[in-house]
Amino acid sequence: MLQMRSSMSRFLAQTIGLLFWSAAAVWASEPKGSFPDGTNIFAPASTPAKSIFGLSLFVLAVTGAIFLVVFALLLYCVVKFRKRKNDDGREPPQVYGSNQVELAWTVIPVLIVVALFMATARVIADVQKAARPDNAIEVIAIGHQFWWEYRYPAFGVVTANELHVPVSDAHHPTPTFMKLLSADTDHSFWIPRLAGKTDLIPNHPNSMWIDPHETGIYLGQCAQYCGTQHAKMLLRVYVQSQDEFARWIQEQRQQATVGNAVSQGQRIFETTACINCHTVAGTVANGRFGPDLTHLMSRDTIAAGAAKNTPENLRQWILNPAAIKPGSLMPAMQLSDPELDALTTYLETLR
Amino acid sequence: MSALIAAEAAIFTIFVVAYLFYVGKSLSGPTPREVLSPPFFYTFCLLSSSLTIHFASRSLRRWNVRRFGAWWLLTITLGAIFLYGTASEWHRLIYRDGLTISTNLFGTTYYSLVGLHGFHVVVGLVCLSTVMVFTLFGAVKQEHAEQIDVLSLYWHFVDAVWIVVFTVVYVIGR
Amino acid sequence: MSTESIAWPTTTAASPSFVDHLHKWVTTVDHKRLGILYIVYALIFLVIGGVEATVMRIQLIRPHNNFVSPQVFNRMFTMHGTTMIFFVAMPILFGFANYLIPLMIGARDMAFPRLNAFGFWMTAFGGLLLYFSLIGANGLYGAGNAPDVGWFAYAPLTSQTFSVGHSTDFWTLALLVSGFGSISTAVNIVATVLCMRCPGMTLAKMPLFAWLNLVMAGLVILAVSPLTAAQIMLLLDRYLGAHFFDTQAGGSAVIWMHFFWIFGHPEVYVLVLPAFAFASEIIPVFSRKAIFGYPVMVGATVAIGFISMSVWAHHMFTVGMGANANTFFVLSTMAIAVPTGIKIFNWLATMWGGKIEFKTPMLFCIAFLFQFLIAGLTGVMMSAAPFDWQLGNSYFVVAHFHYVIVGGILFTLFAAFYYWFPKMSGKMYSEILGKLHFWLFLIGFHLTFDFMHVPGLLGMPRRIYTYEPGRGWDSWNLIVTIGVFFQAAGILVFLGNLLWSYYRGKDAGSDPWDAWTLEWSTNSPPPAYNFASIPVIKSRRPLWDLKHPDDPDWKYE
């Protein structure tokens, strides 16, 4: 085992041990596919998460040290001052208190508190008072029961559930600043590797920012109980290179490709209740209660991550949402099999 | 009783906080300035009743049960007048101005705060009236002075709360 | 005059029938009986709450499990939290307070015996009202019966729009009713401790148990009332169309959070101060030393009471209160760690230089010290607001507060049970079963709650009925669930011990632990009048003075 020669090595050993432990926690378990660090708060990939990570190491070191000291004292007490078998039955000397000792163990904790507080106040300011640069991407995130709506006002893009942002280079940062609103109850946006969580509360706009340093897909989910399907209000953030992001924006701005003939599926979509809740840009469908479907096929998942975006799942979802996500607010559409097939085919054209 | 008053004070504090928080935030409907006029007369009645209950309590301590009964009755009357005042104000607000608890945030916070206070006045009057009945039957004597003092403390509390409510609703909130 | 000529009426007093027995218990105003009623009531709900927890843990044993539906799961965590806080922890602590305070201060009963009974029955009725919802209500979307809005019932989830039917109302009313019971009991405790101490017992000479419960009662008075106010506002919103929390009309969801946590945070100190009280009485006796630093312990308690009223928004760090507000609450929350830490040091100092006996109560207290230390430190971690932005609303928080409530409060409660059971029943419990309970429960507790921190660190939020595989949460959830069964076994051993010992235990005598406070000077169980004559005392440990007349405490205090 490691030998603790000085408090510095102990600090380092603790830190490393903790990192290893949490990393091991991730690696030691079941296969993770393409998200090796998943949702580990100790694997930050963006400045807010990194600031928090730095603070957390400091706090863990301090609390770890306190734990070791007090635990050692407890262990010592329990071993050294236990009643022996050959006890003479007399009471031990009664000590009622000591002002010096009390002072000592008041002053030292106060100093520790001051140190912790200063470090914390600094990080709060860093994250919450960060200035917004002009080239920041602006996103408005609106929480719904049980899906996420994203609007990019500068680009005129509306999408749902899968957020795309550009990667941010340390030298020329292009952070994404998000305004957080809610259409119904309280929600919370939490992608552990990118930032701490911030709540989405109706009538109480919040804001947060991220500047992911590496491309990839980052996972998270809603972190404030919002109703029956809170558990399946999942989050996916796609961090793309500047070029890919620009291309994605361009694609999202297009209206739905309108074919020469209105397909049977499109007719079903537009004459049943679908258009009351969903929007398909360029058609009569402009409902706002459910996710925008204009580019449905550009997403990897449906139902806010509850299922992969495959034709079978899509069909099942329309047939009976409660089979995938019981408690979801989308009603079963009571369509016949041929109608379902036609509708699914139509939706498959919404790239 | 002091502990109970502390608890009640905490409840009132939350309603006062809610009232102050929502001042000016109503999205529609009648505003305080439009419909509220400070009920000076009724306030004077309620606050005087603190004085009269004090005299009642003092009379009883000095063995003067008849005078106690008189001051006590006066206290109840003043309290009842205050309640009448609240009732008539509410009548006017509901029927003339169209302000109910569900109209807007002002309505919500106004009726709940004034209503909570009114409810405490009602409870107080019930207790005071019970003592009045006992007095008329001759069951209240000098040795009950301490218990009367405890009840008076409650009544003083109700009056003190009204001072706060009055200030918040009719002065600050307008 | 000869007695033979007078026919004395002979009546064989019939032994009390079951109905007589029941009547005596239902109409009692004796603080000891009411104490036992509170405790038994709480134990029943402890089992029910434990079943609710077990259901949840089985559902979470693996991802995408189907043991219960999401609706049922959501009801489970709501009921589990509400039951455990309001109908287990508070009643059981009030029960011990009720039983022990008059005995410890040399009084014959509480200041207001009838108010005492009123308080118990209100609490009891509140619990029944909450569970009546299973029969009488509908939940979110009319899809259920028990409330399913979480134990802190954030607005606007609780509005009529999102919570159709009556289940939320049952939650609201149950807490409103039991809140009146709690306030009544608290008023009683304050009056009793301030007015009914025996001659010679100044405030500076009363047992720490009485001090801690006094501050606890003060907190109840100041903290439960805001909850009462908020519940009234919620009912007005739901039924009279008020707009307190109606965000569509300009109302604020955040203000519910403020009002709730202004109650909620002092509430946890209401729960933990009596736990400290138990530790402060038990650790000295089994270390054979007086408590170290009595005046500082009192001061720390009062400080905790005051500061606890100013930390509430650390439950709201993610809500968007602004950097300045967040910073303030970081400071107040870290500040409260100081008096709390001081208490831990004082308990350690009490053990230092003593002769520690590892009887069951002491085992639980030692575990308490270890566990409360960890719980406090994870609390300090979360008091650093940015760290809380990651840890908050995740399983790290769930692990933290269970560490406090189960690892801290429940462990000292078990210690208290074993310590005062001989006094309350007159019988000794089985030490072997006691130790078995301790080890089973310790293992189960650590399996569950140590490892529960990890999913939180790996991003698992709370209140989810299932989770995605591939996030690294699976194995940890499995271990957490396994621990539940050890704890259940421990509880069964505990209940069995209580029952068996009550009927078959050895006679305990009045002072089986060679302790020093007044309750040990009377019989076990104490007679209805508590003391044959009201004691007159000179120091904090009256029985020490009697047992050591050459070396009494009052010479040194």
Side-chain angles (χ1 to χ4, degrees), chain C residues 239-260:
Chain C
Y239 286 103
L240 289 185
H243 304 292
F244 284 104
F245 313 115
D246 178 6
T247 51
Q248 300 293 315
S252 165
V254 177
I255 211 176
W256 167 270
M257 298 182 193
H258 278 296
F259 290 161
F260 185 86

Side-chain angles (χ1 to χ4, degrees), chain A residues 65-279:
Chain A
I66 296 175
F67 171 72
L68 286 173
V69 168
V70 181
F71 178 55
L73 286 170
L74 176 63
L75 212 53
Y76 182 75
C77 270
V78 161
V79 168
K80 177 96 195 282
F81 300 113
R82 67 191 193 282
K83 180 167 161 181
R84 307 301 152 106
K85 287 214 166 54
N86 53 352
D87 180 62
D88 58 5
R90 289 211 326 249
E91 307 282 28
Q94 302 292 303
V95 179
Y96 297 94
S98 156
N99 283 335
Q100 296 91 323
V101 168
E102 300 278 5
L103 199 60
W105 64 44
T106 307
V107 168
I108 296 176
V110 167
L111 292 174
I112 295 177
V113 162
V114 169
L116 284 174
F117 171 68
M118 309 278 276
T120 305
R122 240 259 298 247
V123 175
I124 293 178
D126 282 348
V127 175
Q128 286 199 291
K129 291 186 177 170
R132 192 176 120 179
D134 291 327
N135 64 346
I137 308 293
E138 200 201 327
V139 174
I140 301 178
I142 305 169
H144 294 258
Q145 282 183 320
F146 306 101
W147 60 280
W148 306 89
E149 177 182 347
Y150 300 118
R151 300 179 160 260
Y152 298 71
F155 302 121
V157 168
V158 177
T159 183
N161 292 326
E162 294 177 6
L163 180 65
H164 287 246
V165 298
V167 73
S168 177
D169 177 19
H171 303 294
H172 303 287
T174 44
T176 302
F177 271 69
M178 298 169 62
K179 191 159 167 195
L180 304 174
L181 308 171
S182 170
D184 39 40
T185 58
D186 301 336
H187 303 275
S188 190
F189 187 93
W190 190 28
I191 308 265
R193 293 195 63 203
L194 296 183
K197 63 181 67 66
T198 309
D199 292 356
L200 292 82
I201 298 174
N203 203 23
H204 185 91
N206 276 334
S207 60
M208 63 179 280
W209 61 280
I210 55 174
D211 63 349
H213 303 315
E214 289 158 33
T215 57
I217 306 177
Y218 295 86
L219 303 177
Q221 61 191 95
C222 177
Q224 181 69 270
Y225 179 61
C226 49
T228 311
Q229 274 298 345
H230 162 66
K232 294 218 170 158
M233 195 169 153
L234 304 178
L235 281 165
R236 295 166 82 87
V237 174
Y238 291 74
V239 177
Q240 302 174 301
S241 68
Q242 300 281 355
D243 295 331
E244 278 175 10
F245 177 69
R247 211 175 319 128
W248 180 82
I249 289 282
Q250 268 308 104
E251 285 163 11
Q252 294 289 319
R253 292 179 64 166
Q254 310 305 317
Q255 299 197 332
T257 42
V258 181
N260 289 327
V262 171
S263 69
Q264 192 205 359
Q266 185 176 354
R267 208 178 318 120
I268 295 171
F269 187 87
E270 292 175 2
T271 52
T272 53
C274 311
I275 60 173
N276 287 331
C277 293
H278 292 287
T279 297

